[in-house]
Every structure is written in structure tokens, then in C-alpha cells.
Amino acid sequence: MTRPIFAATPVNTPVHGLSAFGDLKYPAGFKQFDYANPDAPKGGIIRLQPGDWLFNQNTNTFNTLNTFVRTGSAPPRMELCFDSLMSGSLDEPDTIYGLVAETVTISEDRNSFTFRLRPEARFHDGSRITAEDVAFSYDLLKRDGHPTFQLILAEMAAAEALSDGEFRLTFSGQQSERTILAASTFPILSKKELATKKFDSGHLQPFLGSGPYRVGRFSAGRFIEYERVEDDWARNLPFRNGLYLFDIIRIDSFSDRNAAFEAFKKGETEWRGEFTASVWATEYDFPAVLDGRVIKREFPEDQRPSFYCKAINQRRERFRDLRVRQAIARCFDFEWINRNIFYGLYRRNQSPFESSPYKAEGLPGPEELAILEPLRGKIPEEAFGEAVVQPTTDGTGNDRRNLREAARLMHEAGWTLKDGFLHNEKGERFTVEYLVNDETFLRISPGFIRNLRSIGIDATIRQVDPSQYQLRLIDFEFDMIDVAFSLGATPTRDTLMQFFHSSTANLPGSNNYVGMADEAVDQLVDIAARADNRQDFTIAMKCLDRVLRARLDWIPNWGSANRRVAFWDKFGFREPKPDYGFPVEALWWYDEEKAKAIGK
């Protein structure tokens, strides 16, 4: 018999924080996070090229300032303008602490959460954040918000303002056990302001926020500046103390990576994560690097599951056969690409949960088999053997052994070679359009396309502009794309559902790009969600990993053990970086002496 959710947290008792398994690091009344620096100066500007983003955000362009809806393209970091009931820490895997809410109280049945709001919490116009604003925000996000919000709030039964300073969030009892960890971090919007505005993507005026930054200057599709709020209501709380120190965070939009790199070389942008191995290996030899004005270094990757892969859209019937996906995977010669294009800087990914304890290794142990055995016959038999790894190649770019096996698999799946291309019994040609939004992929992918065509697949690669690419992802209008994601250190059921659950297979804007709809996978997601301790959760996640790898819905690409970063030497920062996140715009600060030394 499993314990109830948050079993280590007392019911009917106000607490300052929640953790999935009860292991809070910071006590009530703590003053700062350990990774913050209250002695660091405030001021200056960081011109940032972000390597991650949320919701409908786009690094290449933007046409809306509403980042909380499905459509449109918003600039990265809009979330910095909005506060939430609670906030996570970067040195714990699954803990949240009260932000706008000073405390939270769990009900006896553990389906209701009552938040006592801080009376000093304010929007940027000085008006108080009330429980009415919070209730309005949750109803709005559930009804009209981005699929991320809609999925997590699917079992929300009520969002109630009990008084100006007390809010209650109630779930149906069918919610994920840890839904509240995500739900309580959602943005709070002003009910009064939105009473006269549509909540859609047609906004190039920012909504009223309450976070550490507000929107400053911007030009749609070109750049945006976020200005630090001087009279920030939460500036003395531990969530801001020693963090969010730059006066201005500027993000420029670039049509492609080459343009972004050239802007960095000129000093027009000042911080950059480098994701192109050839650039890292050969192009950081410009004068500012050679004379020390630009620092090139590596930081440890976050200790959270991540994956970079090719997503094959199984809403197209021809991709539903596992043998077809295995054949496509065998045409991808990682060894050749890594040696000839990536300078040997990458390793082959094998798992959707790389860089985490959830990546399965070797044969399943007794505890894993106890979960997997009841699913025998519903999951690939390979899930009961050694954890599936992708076949290696001879590194020639044309491994005949792998290509022969790929051809055999396609024939076994019912595809016959005719006039140089594979056809099914209906006479339909097997086609694959590989959709990309950056010319980098045009340089690294010809060998993959050539191998696909060599076995009879009519394969093409198509680059589209960022706006069209975003629209096609939202509506799942593609055959195959590259996808990179980092999940939470302790992924909730809602997060796993976004990628792997049948309920999101046809939800526009979800992250279930492959259209996965498998009852056995759904069961494994539920088993992981019901785990009441970290050990059982890890075991369940390893079982999920084994099945996902055996299914091969996502063909693993490559990854690195470290983050490759370059920046103009005008910043201060504490080391080591936190284990579960690296938001430099919040962690770093402007160092005036360093900036003067390099003329910045």
C-alpha cells in the first residue's frame, strides 16, 4: 500500500514549502539560496543569446508579447515579468517555496491547497495581488492557456478566492500526485487589466506583471529589453536576494546561427551557449578570444533528464511500424558525423533521460521486472533485455552492414523496391521530409538523407522560416524533426504526459511530437507518478526508459557532458553553478572593473 502524496508534509498545517518526497533543504525564514550572492552589485546590462525557452517562445523572431498561449511567437524570458504563488530552487530536484504565497496548507483529503498570500505582494503598477487575481489567472490558463497549462490543470476542480489574501486550489482527486509542484508556479495575471483585453497572441503590449523585470524597449522580431524593477515588492525575499542583478536583460532575434555568432564576435551580444561543435572547435579564434576579452569555457551540465533526438510523426501511418523506425535509425551515421563534422566533441545519446539517474543500464533488476512483467506482450520484448542502444557504424558514412539491415527491415515491413524507391502494396511511395529551421542542419544532414535514399526512401530536407516552423510544430505538420528538451529533475506526471502519453497525442501545441499513444506507456507514466519515495520513482522511470528506447519513437541524436559557453569578460558569478539550472540572467552580475578593462 502506497503512502498518500506529500506524506511527510502535515495536513491542515501552514508550511513554507513543498517537496515531492519531503526533503526540503531550506527552513522557514531562510534569507537566501546558497547559490545567490547578496553582496554582488546591481546594475549593467547583459546581452544574452538564450539556449532555452518556454511555451510559445522563439529565439529567431517574435510577433507577440503573450507567452502564455498556444499560438504566435513570443520572445524568450517573458516569464521574468510575472510572479507565481511558489517558486523552485536550483539546488534541489523537486522543491518549491512560497513566493506570492507565504504559506500553503494541504487539506485532509490532500486534494485542496490553501495559500495565504503575502500582503505586500504587488503588481508593477502598485496594486495589490489579490486572491481574485490568482483565481482569475488559473481559470484563464486552464481555459485559454498554452497546452502546458491546460494539461496540468486538467483536473482542477476549483480556483477560489476565500478572501483578499487567501486562495484555494482544489483538484478532482484524479490529478497527478505531484501536480501542485508545477501548478503553483504558474504566472499570476491582473484580473482588472484583462477584463478589457483579449487573452490571445495578438498583443504587442505587455500584460501587467509583478516579477523582477518588466518589458522595456523592443522592436517586434528584432530585439527586446527587460528592465529590472527598482521597487520590486519581493526584492528582499530569499527568491530575489542576491539574484536578478542586471539593470537590463537584452535579447536580440537572429534568423540563423551564423548571424548570431557574428553578432557575438562583434560584442553586440555578450553571452552565448555554443551548440555547434565545429564552431566551438574552429571558430573561436577571433581577436577578442585571443586577447582574453572573450572567455571560452565549459560548465557541468544540469543533473536533470534531457534528450536531443529525431521525432518521427506516427500520425503518418507509414511510420507506425517499429521496423520502419529502426530502418531510419540505421541510416543515421553518428560516428561519421562526430568524427568529420563535430571534431569528436559529442557522445551518442541513447535515452530520453540522459544525464539523470533515470537512464537504464544493463539488464533489468528484480524491482524493474516486477513492473515490466505484467506488461509482457504489450511492450517490445527488447525491454526485458539489455537496455537498448543504437547500433554503431564503421564511421565511413556508408556502413553497408547497417544499410543492408535497414533495407531488410523495410522489406519485412511490407515495402518493396520499384524504380529505385520503396512502395507498399497500394503502390504508395515511402517519403520522408526532414523539416528544419536552421541552415546548420543542411550542412550536417546530407549523409543521413543520402543513406535513406540509398535504401529506397524518397527522403528530402526542407528548411522553413522560424514562424512557419513554429506553426507546423504546433499542428504536427511534419514527418521528422529534431527536438531538444530538458525535463524537470523529478519529472511530474504532467511533464511526462506532455511527451509520452496518449492524452496529448492529438493536443495541438503539446510536446508529444511523435504522436505516441500506447496504453502500456500510459501505465508506466502512472506508476512513476504514484511513487511515494525517490527510490521507487527512479525504478519506475528506468522501466519507462527501457520501453521508450525499445519503441524507438525518438531516434537519439547526440549530447555532451558539459555546457559550452562563451562570454565577454564583464561578468561576475559564483561557482560551482547550481545542479538543476543555469539561468545566467538571474545568477550572474555586471562587474564594472572587468567591463572597463575590456572597454565594455
Side-chain angles (χ1 to χ4, degrees):
M1 181 177 178
T2 61
R3 298 186 300 167
I5 60 171
F6 298 112
T9 305
V11 298
N12 300 323
T13 303
V15 295
H16 74 293
L18 296 173
S19 171
F21 303 115
D23 42 1
L24 292 171
K25 176 179 179 179
Y26 295 98
F30 74 101
K31 302 300 182 184
Q32 67 180 74
F33 293 123
D34 287 347
Y35 50 82
N37 184 3
D39 297 323
K42 294 181 179 179
I45 181 172
I46 181 171
R47 299 172 180 90
L48 177 70
Q49 290 184 14
D52 58 282
W53 50 92
L54 300 170
F55 313 126
N56 66 350
Q57 294 171 6
N58 192 326
T59 57
N60 301 112
T61 187
F62 66 94
N63 53 25
T64 181
L65 295 182
N66 185 359
T67 191
F68 304 127
V69 290
R70 177 175 63 88
T71 57
S73 296
R77 303 302 187 263
M78 278 299 302
E79 67 276 7
L80 292 174
C81 301
F82 300 87
D83 277 326
S84 53
L85 289 168
M86 306 186 81
S87 176
S89 65
L90 299 175
D91 54 355
E92 297 173 273
D94 48 36
T95 299
I96 53 175
Y97 297 95
L99 177 53
V100 169
E102 187 171 13
T103 63
V104 58
T105 302
I106 303 177
S107 66
E108 190 75 40
D109 64 5
R110 299 177 184 269
N111 290 325
S112 291
F113 301 82
T114 302
F115 300 86
R116 187 173 74 232
L117 308 190
R118 298 181 192 269
E120 67 269 31
R122 293 289 187 274
F123 288 110
H124 291 154
D125 67 354
S127 60
R128 183 182 175 186
I129 299 176
T130 69
E132 285 285 347
D133 295 307
V134 182
F136 168 80
S137 299
Y138 277 86
D139 286 334
L140 180 67
L141 293 172
K142 179 178 180 178
R143 183 180 68 245
D144 299 327
H146 188 274
T148 299
F149 301 119
Q150 294 182 337
L151 179 65
I152 292 173
L153 297 178
E155 296 299 331
M156 185 185 85
E160 307 170 89
L162 305 181
S163 66
D164 279 354
E166 197 169 31
F167 166 73
R168 178 178 296 154
L169 191 60
T170 302
F171 294 93
S172 67
Q174 301 302 310
Q175 77 277 8
S176 162
E177 284 79 353
R178 288 177 284 277
T179 289
I180 192 62
L181 295 177
S184 61
T185 64
F186 287 175
I188 298 172
L189 301 158
S190 167
K191 178 179 180 181
K192 180 180 179 182
E193 185 203 26
L194 280 164
T196 59
K197 290 184 179 179
K198 289 184 177 180
F199 188 65
D200 59 21
S201 59
H203 288 276
L204 274 171
Q205 288 187 336
F207 294 138
L208 180 62
S210 57
Y213 288 88
R214 59 163 58 97
V215 172
R217 298 191 313 130
F218 69 90
S219 177
R222 294 181 57 236
F223 77 90
I224 188 167
E225 292 181 351
Y226 300 101
E227 300 175 348
R228 186 168 57 84
V229 179
E230 287 285 351
D231 58 348
D232 174 22
W233 73 270
R235 60 188 178 278
N236 295 320
L237 293 179
F239 317 96
R240 306 271 216 271
N241 190 13
L243 300 169
Y244 305 106
L245 300 165
F246 293 106
D247 281 346
I248 295 175
I249 299 169
R250 178 179 170 115
I251 296 174
D252 288 270
S253 300
F254 296 99
S255 58
D256 59 53
R257 298 187 190 192
N258 289 333
F261 185 55
E262 289 303 315
F264 177 76
K265 289 164 64 176
K266 296 174 184 177
E268 294 171 2
T269 59
E270 300 161 333
W271 192 97
R272 166 184 175 85
E274 185 54 71
F275 301 100
T276 304
S278 61
V279 174
W280 184 257
T282 66
E283 296 190 33
Y284 280 87
D285 57 358
F286 51 93
V289 174
L290 299 178
D291 64 24
R293 286 176 295 154
V294 166
I295 304 297
K296 175 190 175 190
R297 63 166 291 182
E298 297 184 355
F299 291 88
E301 262 294 358
D302 297 345
Q303 296 179 23
R304 51 194 296 171
S306 61
F307 65 117
Y308 178 40
C309 60
K310 292 178 180 3
I312 301 176
N313 188 358
Q314 292 168 55
R315 298 170 189 84
R316 273 81 157 136
E317 185 177 355
R318 63 188 180 279
F319 299 124
R320 292 175 189 165
D321 192 311
L322 172 58
R323 294 166 295 188
V324 166
R325 302 195 296 277
Q326 290 172 330
I328 292 173
R330 283 185 173 270
C331 293
F332 178 60
D333 193 332
F334 166 75
E335 283 71 23
W336 185 90
I337 293 175
N338 194 39
R339 185 179 66 193
N340 292 279
I341 297 180
F342 294 159
Y343 295 83
L345 292 175
Y346 287 116
R347 62 187 183 189
R348 183 73 191 268
N349 281 348
Q350 300 292 348
S351 164
F353 307 134
E354 289 288 341
S355 305
S356 80
Y358 315 130
K359 180 180 178 180
E361 303 283 355
L363 291 166
E367 293 169 310
E368 292 175 68
L369 288 173
I371 295 174
L372 293 171
E373 281 294 349
L375 299 174
R376 192 179 285 274
K378 298 180 180 179
I379 58 177
E381 193 63 24
E382 290 84 350
F384 295 93
E386 295 274 345
V388 171
V389 297
Q390 293 306 299
T392 58
T393 72
D394 60 12
T396 63
N398 183 33
D399 188 319
R400 295 184 180 277
R401 174 180 55 85
N402 269 338
L403 294 179
R404 281 196 300 269
E405 178 62 12
R408 185 193 69 79
L409 287 164
M410 292 299 293
H411 180 74
E412 189 178 292
W415 296 88
T416 304
L417 201 61
K418 178 181 178 183
D419 299 327
F421 291 102
L422 293 166
H423 295 76
N424 62 14
E425 60 183 11
K426 298 178 184 178
E428 298 167 332
R429 182 184 290 190
F430 195 102
T431 62
V432 172
E433 181 185 79
Y434 178 24
L435 188 71
V436 301
N437 67 344
D438 191 289
E439 66 178 22
T440 300
F441 296 102
L442 303 181
R443 182 172 57 84
I444 65 178
S445 301
F448 178 45
I449 299 300
R450 184 173 57 251
N451 283 344
L452 290 170
R453 294 183 71 86
S454 75
I455 67 168
I457 292 176
D458 186 2
T460 57
I461 183 168
R462 182 182 180 190
Q463 181 184 2
V464 297
D465 66 74
S467 295
Q468 184 180 354
Y469 188 82
Q470 185 94 334
L471 288 172
R472 290 186 63 169
L473 260 61
I474 288 171
D475 294 327
F476 308 123
E477 289 296 326
F478 58 84
D479 291 342
M480 181 168 60
I481 57 171
D482 281 310
V483 179
F485 279 100
S486 180
L487 308 180
T490 306
T492 65
R493 181 175 185 268
D494 311 291
T495 299
L496 297 174
M497 287 173 66
Q498 271 280 341
F499 291 92
F500 311 121
H501 200 274
S502 58
S503 64
T504 60
N506 295 304
L507 177 64
S510 81
N511 300 130
N512 191 346
Y513 293 115
V514 300
M516 186 181 295
D518 185 298
E519 181 182 340
V521 173
D522 292 351
Q523 289 182 46
L524 288 170
V525 168
D526 289 340
I527 291 169
R530 290 196 302 270
D532 60 15
N533 61 74
R534 202 173 297 281
Q535 181 180 358
D536 289 351
F537 178 77
T538 300
I539 291 167
M541 288 291 291
K542 285 184 176 181
C543 292
L544 177 60
D545 182 48
R546 291 183 183 278
V547 173
L548 293 175
R549 288 160 67 175
R551 284 181 52 90
L552 201 62
D553 303 273
W554 316 77
I555 297 176
N557 279 345
W558 54 83
S560 172
N562 296 307
R563 288 175 178 255
R564 301 184 180 103
V565 168
F567 53 91
W568 286 76
D569 191 17
K570 55 173 277 188
F571 304 115
F573 53 90
R574 295 189 68 169
E575 297 199 69
K577 65 172 280 295
D579 288 338
Y580 300 106
F582 194 37
V584 293
E585 67 277 9
L587 296 169
W588 289 21
W589 60 88
Y590 174 76
D591 187 312
E592 187 174 2
E593 292 302 315
K594 286 184 175 181
K596 285 180 180 178
I598 65 169
K600 296 286 285 187

